[in-house]
């Protein structure tokens, strides 16, 4: 059995190397389709007695699974055939590699490899000329499995100029990193269209000179830039694909964002907090994660302006929700449209405005002595969000 496993390794690598049982797992992991052309099978050795540690076979099985991306279990007698079964994707070519961690890594290396963690599960050659539609992409069938996209440093060598639809409708993707390796592209129509879970695009540098891209970020309602909390609109194009003020990109070394969470409880209350974990003494509903500076803050001033330095979520240190502007008002704001409050001068309260991209926003509220309760309303609805109150401390 061990001789069969060793011969399978030697055949795949094209070598005559002898392996001890403890070396076989590493030898399987090292297989990359390169055949040295010097395969020599070894004859069966004389049977000897001894104790073989169980982890030796376990390690070999893990190495096989690492190569073929499967979750199968193997009997010792099945391992040699499993080692002989894979065919390797070799040669220098641009690839999109799906990893066992749910990452799609774009790289340009010799062979099917990934450098962002996990092991390769599948891979596709990417056309440097780009694609005319999302369905034309060879990896389109796995778009909903991808949670993260990485552009490896080697990808910059591809010189891809047409990025139209490249990541379109990756609805489970929350993060893109290494985007600096796409610098130099010229067309990005609907590149990130309908990436509804996307929050961050990391890039250490990026030039959008000569870049065009209609509806590049259409449907990216959670995407927030790392400099000033810029949030793209449904029609935002290539001009906002940049680092700095008014840009959607985030330098990982200069990320100025602070995330907070809205925890919704069964009793109908929603509480903004700086911690991800909900109150263990209460029954939570699904949490909502939002970016602090992506919220539009409108303060309706009727008292001491200096007292309202900013707002902060419950449990946070310092003022993290900064006042953008103020209007002196009178009257009552409940259930009036935000735009109307500026023109007609209603209110006398502090308003925390939660954006609903592409929709009108309606809000009801009631002020207490130490809190501001904000009752957000969605367009066309009169009920509160989860019939609850969102609490923010001053």
């Amino acid at each position: 059995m061990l001789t069969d496993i060793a011969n399978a390794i030697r055949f795949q690598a094209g070598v005559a190397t002898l392996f001890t049982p403890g070396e076989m797992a590493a030898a399987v992991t090292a297989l990359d389709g390169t055949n040295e052309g010097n395969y020599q099978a070894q004859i069966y050795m004389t049977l000897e007695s001894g104790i073989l540690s169980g982890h030796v076979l376990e390690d070999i099985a893990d190495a096989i699974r690492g190569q073929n991306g499967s979750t199968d279990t193997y009997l010792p007698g099945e391992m040699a055939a499993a080692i002989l079964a894979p065919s390797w994707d070799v040669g220098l070519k641009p690839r999109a590699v799906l990893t066992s961690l749910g990452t799609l890594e774009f790289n340009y290396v010799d062979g099917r490899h990934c450098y962002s963690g996990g092991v390769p599960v599948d891979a596709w050659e990417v056309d440097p000329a780009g694609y005319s539609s999302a369905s034309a992409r060879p990896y389109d069938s796995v778009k909903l499995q991808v949670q993260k996209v990485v552009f490896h440093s080697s990808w910059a060598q591809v010189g891809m100029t047409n990025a139209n639809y490249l990541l379109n409708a990756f609805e489970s993707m929350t993060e893109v990193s290494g985007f600096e390796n796409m610098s130099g592209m010229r067309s990005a129509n609907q590149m990130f269209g309908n990436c509804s879970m996307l929050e961050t695009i990391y890039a250490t540098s990026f030039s959008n000179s000569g870049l065009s891209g209609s509806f590049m970020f259409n449907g990216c309602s959670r995407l927030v830039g790392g400099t000033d909390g810029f949030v793209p609109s449904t029609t935002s194009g290539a001009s906002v694909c940049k680092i700095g003020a008014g840009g959607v990109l985030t330098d990982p070394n200069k990320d100025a964002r602070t995330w907070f969470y809205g925890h919704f409880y069964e009793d109908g209350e929603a509480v903004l907090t700086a911690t991800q974990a909900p109150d263990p003494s209460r029954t939570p509903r699904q949490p909502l994660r939002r970016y602090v500076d992506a919220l539009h803050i409108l303060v309706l001033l009727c008292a001491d302006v200096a007292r309202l330095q900013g707002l902060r979520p419950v449990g946070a240190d310092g003022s993290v929700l900064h006042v953008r502007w103020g209007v002196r008002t009178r009257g009552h704001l409940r259930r009036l449209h935000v735009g109307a409050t500026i023109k007609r001068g209603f209110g006398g309260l502090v308003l925390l405005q939660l954006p609903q991209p592409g929709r009108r926003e309606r809000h009801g509220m009631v002020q207490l002595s130490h809190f501001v309760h904000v009752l957000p309303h969605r367009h066309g609805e009169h009920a509160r969000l989860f019939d609850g109150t969102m609490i923010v401390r001053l």
Side-chain angles (χ1 to χ4, degrees), residues 81-100:
I83 293 170
L84 292 171
S87 58
W88 275 265
D89 177 8
V90 297
L92 181 65
K93 62 181 75 170
R95 293 177 179 83
V97 181
L98 181 65
T99 78
S100 56

PDB file of all heavy atoms in Angstrom, residues 81-100:
ATOM      1  N   ALA A  81      -4.740   5.733  -6.144  1.00  0.00           N
ATOM      2  CA  ALA A  81      -5.593   6.112  -7.272  1.00  0.00           C
ATOM      3  C   ALA A  81      -6.008   7.575  -7.185  1.00  0.00           C
ATOM      4  O   ALA A  81      -6.098   8.269  -8.205  1.00  0.00           O
ATOM      5  CB  ALA A  81      -6.831   5.217  -7.310  1.00  0.00           C
ATOM      6  N   ALA A  82      -6.258   8.050  -5.974  1.00  0.00           N
ATOM      7  CA  ALA A  82      -6.645   9.444  -5.796  1.00  0.00           C
ATOM      8  C   ALA A  82      -5.505  10.387  -6.165  1.00  0.00           C
ATOM      9  O   ALA A  82      -5.728  11.487  -6.684  1.00  0.00           O
ATOM     10  CB  ALA A  82      -7.084   9.687  -4.361  1.00  0.00           C
ATOM     11  N   ILE A  83      -4.257   9.960  -5.912  1.00  0.00           N
ATOM     12  CA  ILE A  83      -3.100  10.786  -6.269  1.00  0.00           C
ATOM     13  C   ILE A  83      -2.899  10.806  -7.780  1.00  0.00           C
ATOM     14  O   ILE A  83      -2.511  11.820  -8.358  1.00  0.00           O
ATOM     15  CB  ILE A  83      -1.834  10.261  -5.564  1.00  0.00           C
ATOM     16  CG1 ILE A  83      -1.961  10.457  -4.042  1.00  0.00           C
ATOM     17  CG2 ILE A  83      -0.576  10.968  -6.083  1.00  0.00           C
ATOM     18  CD1 ILE A  83      -0.892   9.772  -3.236  1.00  0.00           C
ATOM     19  N   LEU A  84      -3.204   9.713  -8.448  1.00  0.00           N
ATOM     20  CA  LEU A  84      -3.039   9.626  -9.893  1.00  0.00           C
ATOM     21  C   LEU A  84      -4.163  10.335 -10.656  1.00  0.00           C
ATOM     22  O   LEU A  84      -4.002  10.654 -11.841  1.00  0.00           O
ATOM     23  CB  LEU A  84      -2.988   8.159 -10.332  1.00  0.00           C
ATOM     24  CG  LEU A  84      -1.756   7.370  -9.890  1.00  0.00           C
ATOM     25  CD1 LEU A  84      -1.946   5.892 -10.194  1.00  0.00           C
ATOM     26  CD2 LEU A  84      -0.496   7.904 -10.572  1.00  0.00           C
ATOM     27  N   ALA A  85      -5.288  10.579 -10.003  1.00  0.00           N
ATOM     28  CA  ALA A  85      -6.468  11.090 -10.705  1.00  0.00           C
ATOM     29  C   ALA A  85      -6.359  12.545 -11.158  1.00  0.00           C
ATOM     30  O   ALA A  85      -6.808  12.870 -12.262  1.00  0.00           O
ATOM     31  CB  ALA A  85      -7.704  10.921  -9.817  1.00  0.00           C
ATOM     32  N   PRO A  86      -5.799  13.469 -10.361  1.00  0.00           N
ATOM     33  CA  PRO A  86      -5.839  14.879 -10.776  1.00  0.00           C
ATOM     34  C   PRO A  86      -5.040  15.148 -12.046  1.00  0.00           C
ATOM     35  O   PRO A  86      -4.011  14.524 -12.299  1.00  0.00           O
ATOM     36  CB  PRO A  86      -5.211  15.617  -9.582  1.00  0.00           C
ATOM     37  CG  PRO A  86      -5.337  14.681  -8.434  1.00  0.00           C
ATOM     38  CD  PRO A  86      -5.211  13.318  -9.024  1.00  0.00           C
ATOM     39  N   SER A  87      -5.548  16.081 -12.828  1.00  0.00           N
ATOM     40  CA  SER A  87      -4.789  16.611 -13.951  1.00  0.00           C
ATOM     41  C   SER A  87      -4.547  18.077 -13.641  1.00  0.00           C
ATOM     42  O   SER A  87      -5.468  18.797 -13.226  1.00  0.00           O
ATOM     43  CB  SER A  87      -5.567  16.469 -15.263  1.00  0.00           C
ATOM     44  OG  SER A  87      -6.808  17.123 -15.190  1.00  0.00           O
ATOM     45  N   TRP A  88      -3.344  18.541 -13.817  1.00  0.00           N
ATOM     46  CA  TRP A  88      -2.972  19.883 -13.371  1.00  0.00           C
ATOM     47  C   TRP A  88      -3.100  20.912 -14.481  1.00  0.00           C
ATOM     48  O   TRP A  88      -2.835  20.646 -15.657  1.00  0.00           O
ATOM     49  CB  TRP A  88      -1.546  19.883 -12.825  1.00  0.00           C
ATOM     50  CG  TRP A  88      -1.491  19.480 -11.394  1.00  0.00           C
ATOM     51  CD1 TRP A  88      -1.488  20.297 -10.312  1.00  0.00           C
ATOM     52  CD2 TRP A  88      -1.457  18.141 -10.890  1.00  0.00           C
ATOM     53  NE1 TRP A  88      -1.459  19.557  -9.158  1.00  0.00           N
ATOM     54  CE2 TRP A  88      -1.428  18.224  -9.482  1.00  0.00           C
ATOM     55  CE3 TRP A  88      -1.443  16.880 -11.470  1.00  0.00           C
ATOM     56  CZ2 TRP A  88      -1.387  17.124  -8.659  1.00  0.00           C
ATOM     57  CZ3 TRP A  88      -1.407  15.770 -10.654  1.00  0.00           C
ATOM     58  CH2 TRP A  88      -1.380  15.894  -9.261  1.00  0.00           C
ATOM     59  N   ASP A  89      -3.548  22.075 -14.056  1.00  0.00           N
ATOM     60  CA  ASP A  89      -3.636  23.227 -14.937  1.00  0.00           C
ATOM     61  C   ASP A  89      -2.281  23.917 -14.869  1.00  0.00           C
ATOM     62  O   ASP A  89      -1.969  24.596 -13.892  1.00  0.00           O
ATOM     63  CB  ASP A  89      -4.762  24.144 -14.443  1.00  0.00           C
ATOM     64  CG  ASP A  89      -4.885  25.412 -15.271  1.00  0.00           C
ATOM     65  OD1 ASP A  89      -4.209  25.510 -16.302  1.00  0.00           O
ATOM     66  OD2 ASP A  89      -5.655  26.296 -14.869  1.00  0.00           O
ATOM     67  N   VAL A  90      -1.456  23.747 -15.886  1.00  0.00           N
ATOM     68  CA  VAL A  90      -0.082  24.250 -15.846  1.00  0.00           C
ATOM     69  C   VAL A  90       0.107  25.352 -16.871  1.00  0.00           C
ATOM     70  O   VAL A  90      -0.715  25.558 -17.770  1.00  0.00           O
ATOM     71  CB  VAL A  90       0.920  23.110 -16.092  1.00  0.00           C
ATOM     72  CG1 VAL A  90       0.818  22.069 -14.981  1.00  0.00           C
ATOM     73  CG2 VAL A  90       0.700  22.460 -17.457  1.00  0.00           C
ATOM     74  N   GLY A  91       1.205  26.067 -16.737  1.00  0.00           N
ATOM     75  CA  GLY A  91       1.538  27.136 -17.664  1.00  0.00           C
ATOM     76  C   GLY A  91       1.210  28.502 -17.115  1.00  0.00           C
ATOM     77  O   GLY A  91       0.383  28.654 -16.216  1.00  0.00           O
ATOM     78  N   LEU A  92       1.873  29.511 -17.657  1.00  0.00           N
ATOM     79  CA  LEU A  92       1.659  30.888 -17.245  1.00  0.00           C
ATOM     80  C   LEU A  92       0.453  31.446 -17.981  1.00  0.00           C
ATOM     81  O   LEU A  92       0.459  31.563 -19.212  1.00  0.00           O
ATOM     82  CB  LEU A  92       2.902  31.728 -17.568  1.00  0.00           C
ATOM     83  CG  LEU A  92       2.871  33.199 -17.172  1.00  0.00           C
ATOM     84  CD1 LEU A  92       2.795  33.354 -15.664  1.00  0.00           C
ATOM     85  CD2 LEU A  92       4.097  33.927 -17.726  1.00  0.00           C
ATOM     86  N   LYS A  93      -0.594  31.774 -17.246  1.00  0.00           N
ATOM     87  CA  LYS A  93      -1.803  32.307 -17.852  1.00  0.00           C
ATOM     88  C   LYS A  93      -2.608  33.071 -16.808  1.00  0.00           C
ATOM     89  O   LYS A  93      -2.490  32.806 -15.601  1.00  0.00           O
ATOM     90  CB  LYS A  93      -2.643  31.191 -18.452  1.00  0.00           C
ATOM     91  CG  LYS A  93      -3.141  30.167 -17.441  1.00  0.00           C
ATOM     92  CD  LYS A  93      -3.953  29.045 -18.088  1.00  0.00           C
ATOM     93  CE  LYS A  93      -3.094  28.064 -18.818  1.00  0.00           C
ATOM     94  NZ  LYS A  93      -3.850  26.839 -19.236  1.00  0.00           N
ATOM     95  N   PRO A  94      -3.438  34.019 -17.230  1.00  0.00           N
ATOM     96  CA  PRO A  94      -4.310  34.718 -16.269  1.00  0.00           C
ATOM     97  C   PRO A  94      -5.457  33.801 -15.836  1.00  0.00           C
ATOM     98  O   PRO A  94      -6.161  33.261 -16.684  1.00  0.00           O
ATOM     99  CB  PRO A  94      -4.817  35.918 -17.056  1.00  0.00           C
ATOM    100  CG  PRO A  94      -4.686  35.534 -18.491  1.00  0.00           C
ATOM    101  CD  PRO A  94      -3.542  34.573 -18.588  1.00  0.00           C
ATOM    102  N   ARG A  95      -5.613  33.652 -14.532  1.00  0.00           N
ATOM    103  CA  ARG A  95      -6.626  32.743 -14.004  1.00  0.00           C
ATOM    104  C   ARG A  95      -7.477  33.426 -12.947  1.00  0.00           C
ATOM    105  O   ARG A  95      -7.028  34.334 -12.245  1.00  0.00           O
ATOM    106  CB  ARG A  95      -5.976  31.513 -13.361  1.00  0.00           C
ATOM    107  CG  ARG A  95      -5.255  30.576 -14.293  1.00  0.00           C
ATOM    108  CD  ARG A  95      -4.609  29.453 -13.493  1.00  0.00           C
ATOM    109  NE  ARG A  95      -3.915  28.493 -14.326  1.00  0.00           N
ATOM    110  CZ  ARG A  95      -2.671  28.641 -14.777  1.00  0.00           C
ATOM    111  NH1 ARG A  95      -1.997  29.735 -14.445  1.00  0.00           N
ATOM    112  NH2 ARG A  95      -2.120  27.716 -15.536  1.00  0.00           N
ATOM    113  N   ALA A  96      -8.693  32.934 -12.831  1.00  0.00           N
ATOM    114  CA  ALA A  96      -9.545  33.218 -11.675  1.00  0.00           C
ATOM    115  C   ALA A  96      -9.636  31.917 -10.904  1.00  0.00           C
ATOM    116  O   ALA A  96     -10.142  30.916 -11.420  1.00  0.00           O
ATOM    117  CB  ALA A  96     -10.924  33.685 -12.116  1.00  0.00           C
ATOM    118  N   VAL A  97      -9.101  31.902  -9.692  1.00  0.00           N
ATOM    119  CA  VAL A  97      -8.998  30.681  -8.895  1.00  0.00           C
ATOM    120  C   VAL A  97      -9.963  30.759  -7.718  1.00  0.00           C
ATOM    121  O   VAL A  97      -9.868  31.658  -6.885  1.00  0.00           O
ATOM    122  CB  VAL A  97      -7.557  30.468  -8.381  1.00  0.00           C
ATOM    123  CG1 VAL A  97      -7.461  29.170  -7.578  1.00  0.00           C
ATOM    124  CG2 VAL A  97      -6.566  30.470  -9.537  1.00  0.00           C
ATOM    125  N   LEU A  98     -10.894  29.824  -7.658  1.00  0.00           N
ATOM    126  CA  LEU A  98     -11.813  29.733  -6.524  1.00  0.00           C
ATOM    127  C   LEU A  98     -11.159  28.901  -5.441  1.00  0.00           C
ATOM    128  O   LEU A  98     -10.706  27.775  -5.696  1.00  0.00           O
ATOM    129  CB  LEU A  98     -13.133  29.091  -6.946  1.00  0.00           C
ATOM    130  CG  LEU A  98     -14.203  28.961  -5.851  1.00  0.00           C
ATOM    131  CD1 LEU A  98     -14.679  30.332  -5.386  1.00  0.00           C
ATOM    132  CD2 LEU A  98     -15.374  28.122  -6.348  1.00  0.00           C
ATOM    133  N   THR A  99     -11.091  29.435  -4.221  1.00  0.00           N
ATOM    134  CA  THR A  99     -10.429  28.730  -3.132  1.00  0.00           C
ATOM    135  C   THR A  99     -11.450  28.103  -2.177  1.00  0.00           C
ATOM    136  O   THR A  99     -12.643  28.407  -2.225  1.00  0.00           O
ATOM    137  CB  THR A  99      -9.522  29.677  -2.323  1.00  0.00           C
ATOM    138  OG1 THR A  99     -10.326  30.461  -1.432  1.00  0.00           O
ATOM    139  CG2 THR A  99      -8.734  30.588  -3.244  1.00  0.00           C
ATOM    140  N   SER A 100     -10.938  27.267  -1.310  1.00  0.00           N
ATOM    141  CA  SER A 100     -11.791  26.589  -0.325  1.00  0.00           C
ATOM    142  C   SER A 100     -12.355  27.551   0.707  1.00  0.00           C
ATOM    143  O   SER A 100     -13.248  27.182   1.472  1.00  0.00           O
ATOM    144  CB  SER A 100     -10.984  25.490   0.378  1.00  0.00           C
ATOM    145  OG  SER A 100      -9.807  26.036   0.982  1.00  0.00           O
TER     146      SER A 100
END
